[in-house]
Amino acid sequence: MIIKRFTAQTAPKAMKLVKDALGLDAVIFSQKTLDKGSANERVEIMAAIDHDTITSPPLPNPEPGATTGGAGYGYQTVRKQATQKKPVKTRPKPKKRQAQAPESQKVRQNFSRLLQEREASLRPKTVPPKQLKTKATIWRDEIIDQVQALPVAQSSGNDPIIIALVGPTGVGKTTTAAKLAAWYHIQEGKKVALLTMDCYRIGATDQLRTYARIMHLPCEVAIRKKDLEQAIARHWDTDVIIIDTTGKSPYDTDHIDELAEWFAEIASLQPLLVVSATTKKEDLRQIVQVYDALEPHSLILTKLDETRTYASLCQQVAASNLPVGYLTMGQRVPEDFIVPDKPLLDTFFKKGWSALEQHIN
Ligand SMILES: Nc1nc2c(ncn2[C@@H]2O[C@H](COP(=O)(O)OP(=O)(O)O)[C@@H](O)[C@H]2O)c(=O)[nH]1
Ligand SMILES: [Mg+2]
């Protein structure tokens, strides 16, 4: 880089010196007035240029008082200020390409088309997103199709319908037993009796007794297998007997064996497996598998209000091969309870929560 100082009586004159000496690509580092107010007042410009861009040799001062020399730093190029029309140095213009013969043009076009075709054939085949969505929807609908609705079966003759709610702890068995009792008693006008085998927790029986008292329904506790058989016999004249059971871990197989033994003697008993929508996929699979030993009649899906994602639940229900008998979506007894038909289950698993909302009072 060459750095020079230029002085002249006025700024335009000093700038002309810069242009003449360094050309239009010169960079102005500084400009200041020297001996301001005196007879010797003049303008000093510090300018620089790269060796490569020097376009013309530095000229001697064209007028008295004009000088060049020195060093500095700056930010401005002369080109911006130049009034001179023609640049001293011009970049050589690229040579004009000779017009191609039509023959060779054709060959080039064919070649690039072949290249494009080959690239396209090598690209991995991806399914367009729209098509993917359709496939996912088809797959989802196939799963939903497998989910069937089936309310509790009617009993033969004058025998009562006997239902037992089984399932893990805290899924809503007792609450749902009360909802079912209310539905049969209030909606269907049936004569209902409540039995509970749940003496495991302190106060567990009180929960169902309280519901029974409010609905003016009989409620009995069965601590032993014999108690259960006798209680059923006592309420044989009712339309529906609803049995609440103790919840245990789905990994406690002894509990399932014990229940199976209790139920073995009661021929028309329909076990309903209560599962919560908030249960994790793997646990749900385990629950369905373990309770299969009791040959459940159907599923009761509870706590549908506690989530908004039902795809995994739908898959598990379909995989269980068990129909869905009832849905619950809240703690209110008897309101938060639905006896779904197949179209409602379809809409629910397709649209989610909004499909249930309109059925809630
Ligand atoms: N959010 C919601 N809570 C529920 C539902 N069903 C039951 N519960 C609540 O879940 C808790 C456990 O219910 P409970 O009937 O005692 O379960 P159990 O141990 O299976 O008998 C209670 O606080 C119930 O009020 C439901 O559908 N939605
Ligand atoms: Mg309970």
Side-chain angles (χ1 to χ4, degrees):
M1 176 178 274
I2 295 171
I3 303 168
K4 284 184 179 292
R5 179 188 292 126
F6 300 86
T7 51
Q9 282 167 339
T10 61
K13 280 178 184 169
M15 196 56 77
K16 185 168 187 320
L17 288 179
V18 175
K19 265 190 297 180
D20 291 346
L22 303 180
L24 287 172
D25 289 320
V27 175
I28 307 297
F29 284 155
S30 67
Q31 177 178 333
K32 61 183 174 189
T33 308
L34 303 175
D35 299 327
K36 203 170 182 179
S38 75
N40 195 27
E41 185 180 301
R42 60 205 186 281
V43 174
E44 180 195 270
I45 291 179
M46 299 280 288
I49 185 102
D50 270 345
H51 285 287
D52 299 347
T53 43
I54 291 179
T55 52
S56 56
L59 295 174
N61 282 345
E63 56 179 274
T67 59
T68 63
Y73 63 92
Y75 48 87
Q76 190 184 2
T77 68
V78 175
R79 191 178 288 281
K80 281 183 189 160
Q81 302 179 20
T83 47
Q84 193 178 329
K85 290 244 169 76
K86 279 187 193 164
V88 179
K89 185 189 175 191
T90 51
R91 193 186 284 265
K93 278 187 185 170
K95 278 183 191 167
K96 253 194 177 177
R97 278 204 196 157
Q98 273 193 334
Q100 283 175 332
E103 200 64 8
S104 69
Q105 247 176 358
K106 229 180 194 176
V107 172
R108 277 170 66 88
Q109 278 166 5
N110 283 343
F111 182 71
S112 65
R113 184 175 48 79
L114 284 172
L115 209 66
Q116 276 172 10
E117 280 173 12
R118 187 175 147 67
E119 270 176 13
S121 73
L122 291 176
R123 227 172 278 143
K125 300 267 176 296
T126 48
V127 188
K130 207 174 173 188
Q131 221 169 310
L132 261 181
K133 198 179 163 209
T134 320
K135 278 196 175 168
T137 313
I138 292 168
W139 181 65
R140 182 202 67 177
D141 291 351
E142 278 173 7
I143 293 175
I144 294 173
D145 273 351
Q146 294 169 36
V147 178
Q148 297 301 323
L150 184 67
V152 161
Q154 292 300 314
S155 55
S156 56
N158 285 334
D159 291 355
I161 295 169
I162 306 173
I163 301 163
L165 275 68
V166 297
T169 337
V171 289
K173 293 182 297 298
T174 307
T175 314
T176 309
K179 289 174 182 176
L180 258 172
W183 185 77
Y184 272 116
H185 181 55
I186 301 163
Q187 293 280 119
E188 303 277 290
K190 304 277 187 196
K191 198 173 170 192
V192 179
L194 284 162
L195 306 182
T196 177
M197 293 164 60
D198 188 4
C199 310
Y200 193 75
R201 286 179 296 125
I202 295 168
T205 55
D206 295 346
Q207 194 185 349
L208 196 66
R209 277 178 195 277
T210 308
Y211 286 125
R213 200 173 52 243
I214 295 167
M215 291 185 274
H216 302 288
L217 298 177
C219 182
E220 284 200 38
V221 181
I223 298 172
R224 293 161 304 172
K225 191 175 153 205
K226 202 169 68 183
D227 299 334
L228 183 67
E229 288 164 14
Q230 287 174 355
I232 289 173
R234 270 196 297 280
H235 294 285
W236 200 255
D237 64 331
T238 58
D239 300 311
V240 186
I241 297 172
I242 299 170
I243 306 166
D244 185 22
T245 65
T246 315
K248 287 277 178 77
S249 158
Y251 297 91
D252 178 353
T253 45
D254 288 351
H255 169 63
I256 311 292
D257 294 344
E258 193 188 6
L259 279 178
E261 205 186 309
W262 281 50
F263 294 165
E265 306 295 322
I266 309 156
S268 56
L269 186 141
Q270 303 179 52
L272 305 184
L273 177 55
V274 185
V275 292
S276 162
T278 58
T279 307
K280 292 201 285 286
K281 190 177 165 186
E282 277 310 310
D283 294 335
L284 201 53
R285 205 200 307 271
Q286 170 72 11
I287 291 164
V288 169
Q289 194 182 318
V290 155
Y291 280 90
D292 187 53
L294 298 179
E295 296 179 19
H297 168 271
S298 53
L299 293 170
I300 298 181
L301 308 182
T302 60
K303 305 199 179 185
L304 297 173
D305 56 309
E306 288 192 6
T307 178
R308 292 294 181 268
T309 52
Y310 308 102
S312 170
L313 177 70
C314 181
Q315 279 177 42
Q316 295 302 313
V317 171
S320 75
N321 280 324
L322 289 171
V324 176
Y326 306 97
L327 306 176
T328 81
M329 64 299 298
Q331 295 177 291
R332 296 176 309 162
V333 179
E335 292 96 333
D336 299 328
F337 176 83
I338 293 176
V339 184
D341 53 12
K342 171 68 177 153
L344 176 61
L345 285 180
D346 287 354
T347 326
F348 166 57
F349 282 123
K350 280 176 192 169
K351 292 191 176 164
W353 178 246
S354 62
L356 293 186
E357 264 180 325
Q358 50 195 297
H359 292 269
I360 301 170
N361 302 315

